Amino acid sequence: MRARNTTAFAVLTALALTVPVLAVSPAVAAPTAASGWSDSVTDAGGFVGMAPTRMLDTRTDNTPNHSPRTPIGPGEHYVAPLQGDVIPHDATAVVVNVTATNQTARGYLALGGGAPAGGGAPETSSVNFTPGQTISNLVTVALGQGTSRPTVDIFNSAGQTDVILDVVGYYQPGAGDKFAPLTPTRVTDTRTGPAGPIGGRTARTIQVARPELGTADARAVVLNVTATDATADTFVTVYPGGTARPAEGSNINVPIRRSTPNQVVVPVGEGGRINIYNNAGAVNVVVDVVGYYGPSGTGLFRALKTPVRQFDSRVAGRALGSYETKQIPVLSSDGSTPVVVAVETNVTATNVSTQGHLRVYPGPSRPDTSNLNVYPALTSANSVTTGVNGGTFSVFNAGGPLDLITDLTGFFTTS
């Protein structure tokens, strides 16, 4: 199905941005018991990991219910059906690496389980881009169930944009593994390690199931992977140890000499290891582990049927200052909401004054890790899975003033 929308931009608030326009709306409180939170979220599900599986590529004939080799147009909602023989019909949400490429204008993609009422622009964003940029972000999104197959709604704000979807896992009630958040911990940094950067067409093996990390029984790990100091345009693929590299699918598209992060969810392979493959040139890779799925996990995932904007400093009227920490409230509870152990949120930085990075963590102690690298005149986003502390998580700005936006896509509960 392909729904065209010619009035998408009517719902955008006019705020001057130096970079791609974002959906601008007042921050919306996450669902609470008083507001009927159970109607706003999916059933709780465990995680089932899988090898990256390409389910949409508008550059090719692999575009069900869509004109082959046709990009998604401006202000358009494209409802992408997923493979029913891979994603079970009772799955509630998918974890998907979404890539935007061949853009003709600055803009953003927003993914959701379905289009907003009236077909307008969503109030949140998933990937921000500039013309000619190939950029990816890991997105966790509720599934639409309006057809015989699960679906994902993709909204393109401006220009013509090719879109690629690589599914790396899904959530299913009564199945899969539970999630355990960790204090973010750096496990690999090739800039300081003896082996140095990863060469072209080369894979590096990393031990991620380690007792000292608390990941000894991990079946899949959640990582923030940053590629930096690339000597050529390249891509990086992360996959289980002891397995063949996927024929399709990558995790990070890396431009030369720019630090590029992306969240990665990958099954743990043989011997508790994963592999990181670099396609061209040489590149340094920094890996931070933020959580895992396994028998000792406690969190089941509930996706918001419609993602909500938690915080927007542009609406609040004050940018996040240099080396300032902002605490973001997650859920209010009157005692009847479930205990939230972690959240899935999309973190966006815009109106950036100087090069720097953001760190997202439960608090109160600030880890020596990073989630999002930022540059002046660019809007950057990255998906973040983070534990919570006292009903909030923290964002630290290691750089000059910038505007911060966080969009909640779901949360992990103990029931």
Side-chain angles (χ1 to χ4, degrees):
M1 295 181 295
R2 189 169 188 175
R4 292 190 176 273
N5 171 36
T6 58
T7 61
F9 295 104
V11 300
L12 296 181
T13 302
L15 289 183
L17 297 178
T18 60
V19 284
V21 175
L22 296 175
V24 178
S25 62
V28 179
T32 66
S35 63
W37 68 271
S38 60
D39 296 330
S40 304
V41 299
T42 63
D43 292 337
F47 179 73
V48 181
M50 54 190 281
T53 302
R54 183 149 295 175
M55 296 200 178
L56 175 71
D57 187 343
T58 61
R59 304 169 303 174
T60 71
D61 294 333
N62 180 18
T63 50
N65 299 333
H66 180 86
S67 299
R69 304 177 188 272
T70 304
I72 299 176
E76 180 179 348
H77 286 273
Y78 170 53
V79 180
L82 305 183
Q83 295 177 21
D85 58 338
V86 177
I87 307 298
H89 192 72
D90 64 342
T92 56
V94 288
V95 183
V96 58
N97 206 63
V98 54
T99 301
T101 191
N102 300 326
Q103 308 91 338
T104 61
R106 291 183 174 185
Y108 65 89
L109 299 177
L111 272 65
E123 294 181 341
T124 57
S125 61
S126 303
V127 181
N128 300 86
F129 51 75
T130 56
Q133 179 187 32
T134 298
I135 187 165
S136 300
N137 195 15
L138 191 76
V139 177
T140 301
V141 59
L143 287 167
Q145 300 289 352
T147 67
S148 60
R149 289 193 288 176
T151 60
V152 171
D153 179 80
I154 305 168
F155 172 79
N156 176 39
S157 72
Q160 303 283 330
T161 306
D162 276 314
V163 178
I164 303 155
L165 298 183
D166 295 319
V167 175
V168 299
Y170 57 87
Y171 293 96
Q172 185 179 20
D177 292 309
K178 294 182 179 181
F179 178 70
L182 299 170
T183 299
T185 303
R186 184 147 295 172
V187 294
T188 295
D189 188 342
T190 63
R191 298 171 301 178
T192 59
I198 303 174
R201 300 189 181 278
T202 301
R204 183 77 51 83
T205 299
I206 298 174
Q207 184 82 33
V208 292
R210 292 158 43 181
E212 71 273 20
L213 294 175
T215 57
D217 66 345
R219 291 175 177 158
V221 287
V222 183
L223 311 169
N224 194 78
V225 180
T226 303
T228 189
D229 306 324
T231 61
D233 291 342
T234 186
F235 65 83
V236 169
T237 301
V238 185
Y239 59 101
T243 67
R245 178 168 57 89
E248 292 183 310
S250 62
N251 297 96
I252 313 174
N253 293 280
V254 189
I256 188 171
R257 291 188 296 273
R258 178 176 294 167
S259 297
T260 307
N262 201 10
Q263 183 160 282
V264 173
V265 179
V266 57
V268 175
E270 188 177 271
R273 298 180 176 89
I274 61 170
N275 294 326
I276 300 181
Y277 169 83
N278 171 42
N279 186 62
V283 67
N284 277 311
V285 175
V286 182
V287 180
D288 300 326
V289 60
V290 300
Y292 69 94
Y293 297 92
S296 59
T298 60
L300 294 171
F301 185 67
R302 296 176 182 267
L304 271 68
K305 294 177 182 178
T306 301
V308 299
R309 181 141 293 175
Q310 292 170 289
F311 177 76
D312 188 337
S313 64
R314 300 169 302 176
V315 174
R318 180 181 177 277
L320 186 64
S322 298
Y323 300 96
E324 180 181 354
T325 299
K326 176 67 179 178
Q327 289 184 313
I328 309 295
V330 177
L331 287 174
S332 299
S333 175
D334 64 356
S336 60
T337 52
V339 176
V340 174
V341 296
V343 297
E344 287 282 353
T345 186
N346 201 66
V347 176
T348 302
T350 191
N351 299 325
V352 178
S353 59
T354 62
Q355 184 174 333
H357 70 268
L358 299 179
R359 303 180 195 177
V360 184
Y361 55 98
S365 299
R366 186 170 67 234
D368 188 20
T369 54
S370 66
N371 296 88
L372 180 62
N373 298 81
V374 301
Y375 296 88
L378 283 180
T379 293
S380 304
N382 196 15
S383 177
V384 174
T385 305
T386 178
V388 299
N389 181 44
T392 69
F393 64 89
S394 298
V395 182
F396 172 71
N397 176 25
L402 53 79
D403 276 312
L404 171 70
I405 302 116
T406 65
D407 295 330
L408 184 70
T409 61
F411 49 90
F412 294 88
T413 72
T414 54
S415 60

